[in-house]
Amino acid sequence: MLFDRLKRFCVQLDCPEVAAPPVFSSGESVAGRVVLELSGEARLGALHLHAYGCAKVHWTESRSAGSSTAYTQSFGDQVEFLSLRQVLLAPPDSGGVTVLPAGRHEFPFAFQLPEALATSFEGKHGSVRYWVKAKLHRPWATVRRARKEFTVLEPIDINTPALLAPQAGAKEKPARAWYRNRGQVSVSAKIDRKGYTPGEVIPIFAEIDNCTTRSVVPKAAIIQTQTFIARGTKKQKKSVVASIVGDPIAAGKREVWHGRALKIPPVGPSILQCRIIHVEYVLKVCVDIPGTSKLLLELPLVIGTIPLHPFGSRTSSVSSQYSINLDWLRMGIPEQPEAPPAYSSVVTSEEPIENLPRPCQDEATSVFEGPFFAYIQEFRYRPPPLYSEVDPNPPSDSSVRPRCMTC
């Protein structure tokens, strides 16, 4: 029987690194093969392949309908991102079965992922999953199934103007005890940018003023919020990803954080484009005030997948303003630039500054009218001036001071 002759039936995906799980992005091609190992000659039916990907959410809530009755209500929804079908082995029209000899047989397949996919995710009330499933139909036997999951990681580039913008905020809160005002606590915080990648360190710049009569404790934490949406109802799950605790601040004192470091652990990227599942992050700076609720200040974060390039936010902001491709600039600047020449080697003591040529007013105004990077590129390809022992700008006779012969 075929059940005894089918030794192996599996789906394999092509991956550059064998040990690493296959990871893809939207628009990429997924290739692999369905492997059959037979111990003897076997009669097979059709072999179908189904690639599928979807986001699902589901949870239940107990609601009270009276003093002694209660009922359970379920919430669920699903969004389909991928659904492709292929026939890898079709039986002939005459017999309806295909006879394969003993040994190993491979059936290759390939398909392209569509655009606008969501990153793979596993949460408490929902998930985003992708897989490839193969079905082998056999005469007079049950259908054999093989399944292989793969990961989709949608790129989030933090080198965009929106994610490179600094984030700042300020809040204050009065400290009350027994309806009496005990002063107030204020906090102001700032971070360099909105987008970060796992493994980076967030430098926190904060200032906490304690104008109360008791000491307070400042804290900072990265909060992950998972939001699940179904039938117009939301279900959220919040968790602390990383946190730090500052030193207590005495009454009437001020504490300043000069870039207090908070490292981002390995976490999943933000999911903002899925209709039923959102994964968001915030940096929360809070102050524990005795006798009253905490003072909370939240700064939004986006966890991306493409890290900050070597030029940092300054180059990104300039390039976004002028929409210029900076590949030539990155290739032209060496890793270790040469030191600039000394001032004495450019202007000697015998040549006063007044005698240096000054730019014409018309030329100076026309330089700043065109695009900024056009002049950088022009300067980059301009050859250096020729060396000469003759001063191209000799001092005029009127500026030469006569010497006294008797001295």
Side-chain angles (χ1 to χ4, degrees), residues 11-15 22-33 49 51 82 84 86 108-114 117 130-132 148-152:
V11 178
Q12 296 180 354
L13 295 177
D14 296 340
C15 185
V23 180
F24 304 94
S25 299
S26 59
E28 292 185 347
S29 178
V30 180
R33 61 191 59 84
L49 184 78
L82 171 67
L84 297 174
Q86 296 180 6
F109 63 86
F111 59 90
Q112 188 175 6
L113 295 176
L117 297 178
Y130 300 87
W131 65 86
V132 178
K148 179 67 174 180
E149 295 186 358
F150 61 93
T151 302
V152 170

Side-chain angles (χ1 to χ4, degrees), residues 363-385:
E363 297 178 357
T365 56
S366 63
V367 165
F368 295 98
E369 292 179 356
F372 177 70
F373 276 100
Y375 295 99
I376 294 182
Q377 189 171 5
E378 180 185 357
F379 175 77
R380 175 175 178 265
Y381 292 107
R382 182 180 298 175

